[in-house]
Amino acid sequence: MASSALTLSTPTAYFAPPRSEASVASSLFKSLKPPPFWPWQSQKKVKMGPLSVSPMGFGTWAWGNQLLWGYRESMDTDLQRVFNLAVENGVNLFDTADSYGTGRLNGQSEKLLGKFIKDLQGKEQGKDEIVIATKFAAYPWRLTPGQFVDACKASMERLQIEQIGIGQLHWSTANYAPLQEVALWDGLVAMYEKGLVRAVGVSNYGPKQLVKVHEYLTARGVPLRSAQVQFSLLSMGEDQFEIKKICDSLGIRVIAYSPLGLGMLTGKYAPSKLPQGPRSFLFRQILPGLKPLLSSLEDIAQRRRKTIPQVAINWCICKGAIPIPGVKTVEQAEENLGALGWRLSASELLQLENAAEESPKKMIQNIFQTR
């Protein structure tokens, strides 16, 4: 989620002029519109059951969140540019949730996505290929399968679509309301059988509960297609890798949220330069111990002529996950796109993972993730 501009992932990397013409070409390039597609667009999409999705999606948690991400409605025009840029460059997976948005803006993320899809001009094929993955909150008042189906229908109205790509249970209630969870699983079954969603997924499920929900849904004839979990170089604990191993064995795709550790893996922040808002408390605890990891990210980024966020996101892709970095600006979107179309080497992956192990502080896991 860095704000620095995309470096060497733009067309200049493909037709760099001789040094003597550099100044002329620089002026010319500024006046050119980027091409309608990038080289990675032609690469094979990732299969998720009946769906074909880009190797990286975009997360929209910030779209409507004033408390943590400083959202303002004046940002909507820029967010639409972000969305259009993503679609033009082959990104077709957008993750959201019915709880994204604070206060009166609850559901704002879904509403914005619905508007942006509707407003796509002359891109009917692009519209058809867009996959919306939304999450339904396990609110305490959602106690029956029917109520969960109603939540799905409400999301469809906000998104202005006739069918959701991936309908996901946002978190497990196994730790505090196990009977409610079974009703919510039945709700996933019902929305799938009614054709409201093309695929079913879960979020924030630990290894044991993931196996249970997979077995339950399979017995009902509903394939579990995705498991969304916090997964990054800051979140590579034992549980996370066990989840990945289980998913690989069961044919479930891992969707990695917070692949940049809420911004800590962007190289943008330091103990003396913290973000505003609640994130600053977490950053103050973790950033001082990240020097080994950030140094390795910077070292590889310089060698690869990439940026630190691009390397961190590419690590997730190389581990077989589908990262969904959050985006608020065109600059962030352009930079994130530079994580596609190349792969870290085995030695570079090992270097990063060793550096991550050397960092004394790790990302705090979501309190809703079960065992």
Side-chain angles (χ1 to χ4, degrees):
M1 305 208 287
S3 59
S4 56
L6 178 64
T7 59
L8 297 170
S9 297
T10 60
T12 51
Y14 303 106
F15 47 82
R19 288 182 182 275
S20 60
E21 301 173 11
S23 60
V24 176
S26 176
S27 299
L28 177 62
F29 178 69
K30 288 179 182 178
S31 67
L32 291 176
K33 182 181 178 182
F37 65 90
W38 300 89
W40 55 74
Q41 265 194 281
S42 61
Q43 72 181 24
K44 190 175 181 180
K45 290 283 198 293
V46 176
K47 292 297 292 181
M48 192 184 294
L51 305 171
S52 293
V53 301
S54 45
M56 175 187 72
F58 278 170
T60 64
W61 179 18
W63 300 12
N65 189 300
Q66 297 172 311
L67 178 64
L68 194 64
W69 299 109
Y71 167 80
R72 301 182 306 277
E73 290 177 80
S74 60
M75 296 177 175
D76 290 355
T77 300
D78 284 338
L79 293 178
Q80 186 159 16
R81 292 193 187 104
V82 167
F83 178 82
N84 291 344
L85 178 70
V87 174
E88 288 167 3
N89 286 281
V91 172
N92 71 331
L93 176 64
F94 296 89
D95 181 78
T96 183
D98 63 0
S99 61
Y100 285 178
T102 50
R104 67 178 180 82
L105 295 173
N106 193 49
Q108 181 76 349
S109 173
E110 290 183 333
K111 291 176 183 176
L112 287 173
L113 277 171
K115 178 183 182 300
F116 299 162
I117 293 171
K118 187 177 180 180
D119 289 348
L120 275 176
Q121 299 295 327
K123 301 182 180 72
E124 292 305 317
Q125 182 178 354
K127 284 185 182 181
D128 293 340
E129 293 177 353
I130 290 171
V131 175
I132 298 296
T134 196
K135 299 179 291 293
F136 311 114
Y139 291 134
W141 55 85
R142 290 178 175 169
L143 298 172
T144 68
Q147 289 173 317
F148 218 44
V149 169
D150 288 342
C152 178
K153 291 178 179 178
S155 287
M156 291 167 65
E157 287 183 13
R158 285 187 291 270
L159 289 161
Q160 302 181 62
I161 56 179
E162 296 180 358
Q163 189 179 44
I164 289 169
I166 311 170
Q168 306 162 97
L169 173 54
H170 204 156
W171 65 84
S172 168
T173 65
N175 291 340
Y176 59 90
L179 292 180
Q180 180 190 10
E181 180 159 50
V182 175
L184 299 180
W185 290 355
D186 286 338
L188 289 176
V189 172
M191 63 181 71
Y192 180 80
E193 290 179 342
K194 291 175 181 292
L196 304 180
V197 300
R198 295 185 66 194
V200 161
V202 293
S203 179
N204 296 308
Y205 268 60
K208 294 180 180 178
Q209 205 64 12
L210 180 60
V211 171
K212 288 181 182 179
V213 67
H214 176 268
E215 291 177 347
Y216 188 90
L217 293 176
T218 300
R220 299 290 299 275
V222 178
L224 180 62
R225 298 299 188 185
S226 67
Q228 189 173 147
V229 66
Q230 184 172 252
F231 188 71
S232 73
L233 282 161
L234 277 183
S235 304
M236 40 178 277
E238 184 177 329
D239 275 1
Q240 310 309 90
F241 279 118
E242 187 176 353
I243 290 167
K244 181 66 174 62
K245 184 178 179 180
I246 290 169
C247 286
D248 289 345
S249 68
L250 297 177
I252 303 168
R253 287 287 182 185
V254 171
I255 299 176
Y257 72 78
S258 295
L260 297 176
L262 298 180
M264 280 184 278
L265 296 182
T266 63
K268 177 181 176 181
Y269 301 104
S272 60
K273 185 183 178 183
L274 299 173
Q276 296 181 344
R279 283 189 299 160
S280 63
F281 299 104
L282 184 63
F283 280 44
R284 189 174 289 114
Q285 296 176 41
I286 297 177
L287 270 177
L290 289 188
K291 188 173 181 180
L293 177 54
L294 289 173
S295 294
S296 287
L297 283 166
E298 185 176 16
D299 174 56
I300 293 172
Q302 290 178 348
R303 289 202 312 264
R304 287 283 194 156
R305 304 176 77 187
K306 295 290 180 181
T307 67
I308 288 176
Q310 289 167 357
V311 174
I313 294 171
N314 192 269
W315 177 85
C316 290
I317 295 172
C318 289
K319 302 306 286 188
I322 302 173
I324 48 170
V327 281
K328 291 194 299 181
T329 68
V330 168
E331 290 76 21
Q332 290 173 352
E334 288 177 335
E335 182 163 34
N336 291 346
L337 286 169
L340 295 170
W342 60 284
R343 294 182 71 86
L344 291 162
S345 68
S347 62
E348 289 170 332
L349 292 172
L350 184 61
Q351 176 186 342
L352 290 171
E353 289 159 22
N354 286 340
E357 291 294 337
E358 290 176 28
S359 300
K361 292 282 190 176
K362 301 293 187 292
M363 190 72 173
I364 296 172
Q365 289 304 315
N366 193 311
I367 59 171
F368 288 108
Q369 181 170 313
T370 56
R371 290 294 301 169

